[in-house]
Amino acid sequence: LSARAHDVVVVGAGPAGEVAAGKLAERGLDVALVERELVGGECSFFACMPSKALLRPGDLAAETRRVPGVSDAAVEAIAALRRRDEVIHDLDDAGQLPWVEKRGIALVRGRARLAGERRVVVDGAGPDGGPLALEARRAVVLATGSDAAIPPLEGLREARPWTNREVTTAQQVPPRLLILGGGVVAVEMADAWARYGSAVTIVERSARLIEHEEERASAAVGAALRRRGVEIRCGSEVTAARREDDGTAVLVLGDGAELRGEELLVATGRVPRTAGLGLETAGLEGGGAIEVDDRLRVGGRDWLYAIGDVNGRALLTHEGKYQARILADAIAGRDRALREDGAPPPRVIFTDPAVAAVGHTLASARRAGLSVTAVDGRVDQVAGASFWGKGEDAFARWIVDDARRVLVGATFVAPDAQELVHAATVALVGEVTVDRLAHAVPSFPTRSEVWLQLADWADATRPAA
Ligand SMILES: Cc1cc2nc3c(=O)[nH]c(=O)nc-3n(C[C@H](O)[C@H](O)[C@H](O)COP(=O)(O)OP(=O)(O)OC[C@H]3O[C@@H](n4cnc5c(N)ncnc54)[C@H](O)[C@@H]3O)c2cc1C
C-alpha cells in the first residue's frame, strides 16, 4: 500500500471541501483534497448552478411581459439548455483545477474512506491503480455532501425516477413531468420546466408547498406556478410508482388515482453521503448526518471534522462555505466558533416570485416559544416597484422579538427577492433594533424602501412607554 502524509486531508471537493482546502492552503498548510467525481461537487454541476441557469430565462421573459415598453420575450429551450451546459462546463471540471493548483493543493482522484485515526485510504489512487493511504498530521475533514433521498415506495426505484442530477442536466424537455415532493427543488424545477413547455404535476403530502416558509409565500408561489399551467396536488399521498412498457412513468395515489408522465422527479429531501465512508474505523456510527459541535469537530475529536451537507446543519452552499472558513481558522489555530442560534443562513427559493427568507417565520418563532410580532409590508406598493411591472403579489414580513425589539426573521416574496434579503441577514446577525433600523434609509426609488415601510409599521407596534 503506497502512503504519503499531508497536514490536512479533505474528503470531497464540493463547495465546502474546496473552500476548506483553499483556506487551509492559504494559511500555509499542506493539504490533500480527495474527489471521486467532479471538483466543484453537486452544487456546480447538478444543483445550484444548473438550476439557476434553467430558471433565469423564464424570469427575464416574465419581466419583459410585466414592464410595458419592451417587446415580449419568449424562452427558447434549445438555447437555454445550451447555456445551462456552458454554466456546468459540459460536466467537465477542468476549469476548476487552476484554482486548486494555484494554492498548491494536492488533488487526489478516487473514492476515499476513513481507515482509523488520521488515516484515509483512496481506492484506485495508488501508482499501480491500487489504494493510496493518506496520513493526516493534523486533521481529516469530511465534506462528502448529500444524495437525493428516494423514499421506500413500492416500485419507485424500479420506475427509474429522475433525481436532482437528471432534472438539472436533461437535454430534452419532457412533455409531461411528474414531481414527487413540494419543497424547494420541486417548486424550482416545476417553474423552470413548465416554462420550457412541460406539463408539470406536483404531488405533495403536506397541505401546502414549501411548508417551512410563511403561508403567504406558499400561496404566492403556488398561484404563480398554477398560472404557468402546473397542476398542484397538495395533501396527496403517493402509494406506489411504476414504469410501463412504453416508457410512461406512473404515480399511484392513495385514492387510487394514477398520474402519468414521460419523466418522474423525486424531490423529497436529501441523505448525507456517509455510506462506505469508514466511520466505524473512528468509532462512529454511520447512517444519519455526522454530528458536529460549534467548531465542526466530530464527537469532540481534535483531528476529525465534518462540514457542508454531510453534517446536516443547513443544506445550503453558502452555509457549507461559511463552515469551511470557520473550520480553517480552527485548524490553523485561530479559535472561532459558528455563530450562535438565532442568526441562521438565508434561504432563497429562486422561483418567480422568489422567496428569500432568513431566521424565523411567524410559525417557527411561536414553536420556539418566542413572543414576537409580525409586521407586514408590500414590496409592490413602494415607488421603486413601479419599474418592476404590475400584477405581482410581492410582500415582505418581519418577525420582531417583542422584548428585545430586534428582527428574528424576515421573508421577502417578489421577483428577484434574493437581492433584498441580505440586509435582513445583516440586521439579524448584528442584532440591530427595529428602532435603530428606522435610521437605515433606503434609496428612493428602490424596492428596498419596503424596509422603511416595515420600520414605520414596527414603530407603530412599539410598546407604550
Ligand atoms: C436542485 C438543487 C438546487 C440547489 N440550489 C441551491 C442554491 O441555489 N443555493 C444553495 O445555497 N444551495 C443549493 N442547493 C444545495 C447545495 O447544492 C448543497 O448544499 C451543496 O452542494 C453542499 O455542498 P457540499 O460541499 O457539502 O457537498 P457536495 O456539493 O455534494 O459535494 C460533495 C463532494 O464530495 C464528493 N465525495 C463524496 N463522497 C466521497 C468519497 N467517499 N470520496 C471522495 N469524494 C467524495 C462528491 O463527489 C462531491 O463532489 C441545491 C441543491 C439541489 C439538489
Side-chain angles (χ1 to χ4, degrees):
L1 183 74
S2 58
R4 45 184 230 232
H6 295 271
D7 291 332
V8 183
V9 177
V10 179
V11 179
E18 254 193 316
V19 169
K23 291 285 170 207
L24 288 162
E26 283 163 13
R27 284 168 170 74
L29 293 172
D30 168 11
V31 182
L33 176 62
V34 190
E35 174 54 53
R36 55 161 204 183
E37 213 173 348
L38 291 165
V39 176
E42 205 73 15
C43 173
S44 303
F45 298 99
F46 306 108
C48 329
M49 294 303 283
S51 60
K52 268 78 263 180
L54 289 171
L55 283 158
R56 178 67 184 138
D59 290 353
L60 191 54
E63 193 173 345
T64 67
R65 285 191 288 275
R66 285 194 291 265
V67 179
V70 200
S71 31
D72 289 1
V75 293
E76 288 174 21
I78 293 172
L81 298 187
R82 183 64 216 125
R83 173 62 189 146
R84 183 273 325 269
D85 288 341
E86 277 174 18
V87 167
I88 60 172
H89 305 284
D90 295 308
L91 299 180
D92 179 349
D93 65 5
Q96 309 267 135
L97 304 187
W99 189 94
V100 174
E101 281 157 16
K102 206 172 134 202
R103 285 163 180 75
I105 298 165
L107 178 63
V108 180
R109 299 270 188 185
R111 180 183 292 272
R113 62 191 144 84
L114 272 178
E117 188 168 331
R118 292 172 209 269
R119 198 174 150 91
V120 167
V121 171
V122 187
D123 291 328
D128 50 356
L132 171 69
L134 299 172
E135 298 293 337
R137 287 186 285 260
R138 290 229 194 142
V140 174
V141 179
L142 303 174
T144 53
S146 64
D147 276 318
I150 310 282
L153 283 174
E154 185 194 323
L156 184 56
R157 269 182 196 280
E158 297 71 32
R160 301 184 306 279
W162 275 3
T163 65
N164 64 294
R165 292 209 158 193
E166 293 78 17
V167 78
T168 54
T169 56
Q171 291 297 337
Q172 261 137 30
V173 181
R176 291 170 302 174
L177 175 62
L178 303 174
I179 302 183
L180 179 53
V184 183
V185 172
V187 294
E188 284 190 355
M189 290 298 91
D191 199 7
W193 289 104
R195 294 204 262 187
Y196 297 119
S198 266
V200 180
T201 306
I202 294 179
V203 188
E204 162 62 49
R205 184 180 7 201
S206 327
R208 61 183 172 99
L209 299 175
I210 48 171
E211 61 168 343
H212 303 298
E213 300 301 342
E214 296 284 0
E215 271 184 57
R216 259 183 90 185
S218 302
V221 169
L225 291 178
R226 282 196 184 92
R227 279 200 300 277
R228 279 166 217 140
V230 176
E231 189 185 335
I232 300 169
R233 291 176 171 244
C234 284
S236 286
E237 192 81 35
V238 171
T239 54
R242 64 173 190 274
R243 180 75 70 167
E244 300 201 319
D245 291 343
D246 67 357
T248 306
V250 182
L251 281 181
V252 184
L253 306 189
D255 61 6
E258 296 195 340
L259 302 172
R260 299 182 130 67
E262 279 65 40
E263 297 300 344
L264 158 61
L265 168 66
V266 178
T268 52
R270 311 284 302 170
V271 280
R273 281 197 195 105
T274 56
L277 200 51
L279 292 177
E280 66 290 349
T281 69
L284 295 159
E285 279 176 28
I290 305 177
E291 259 184 61
V292 293
D293 61 19
D294 63 357
R295 281 160 176 79
L296 288 320
R297 288 176 304 216
V298 180
R301 291 167 183 76
D302 66 351
W303 65 273
L304 186 62
Y305 297 78
I307 55 173
D309 279 14
V310 78
N311 71 25
R313 288 177 84 103
L315 279 64
L316 293 162
T317 288
H318 44 284
E319 173 69 12
K321 288 163 56 167
Y322 166 71
Q323 293 174 4
R325 294 193 294 273
I326 300 290
L327 160 108
D329 278 345
I331 294 179
R334 180 174 163 212
D335 189 35
R336 276 218 296 167
L338 292 178
R339 54 165 140 40
E340 284 151 27
D341 288 352
R347 42 192 201 275
V348 175
I349 302 170
F350 289 80
T351 42
D352 181 24
V355 177
V358 60
H360 281 297
T361 60
L362 182 57
S364 76
R366 288 195 173 140
R367 272 198 307 276
L370 296 176
S371 167
V372 294
T373 301
V375 181
D376 291 331
R378 297 286 324 188
V379 180
D380 55 353
Q381 282 172 14
V382 296
S386 313
F387 318 115
W388 285 77
K390 299 173 183 162
E392 275 304 307
D393 183 15
F395 61 91
R397 166 171 273 190
W398 279 0
I399 306 297
V400 181
D401 182 295
D402 292 333
R404 293 160 58 225
R405 297 288 289 159
V406 296
L407 294 193
V408 291
T411 296
F412 300 85
V413 178
D416 288 331
Q418 63 269 28
E419 305 297 349
L420 284 172
V421 74
H422 189 59
T425 306
V426 174
L428 255 80
V429 173
E431 298 179 88
V432 185
T433 64
V434 290
D435 309 303
R436 184 93 197 131
L437 275 176
H439 297 280
V441 182
S443 291
F444 180 86
T446 63
R447 292 188 308 163
S448 293
E449 278 200 307
V450 72
W451 278 79
L452 206 55
Q453 200 187 61
L454 289 161
D456 275 352
W457 293 352
D459 192 47
T461 68
R462 182 206 297 267

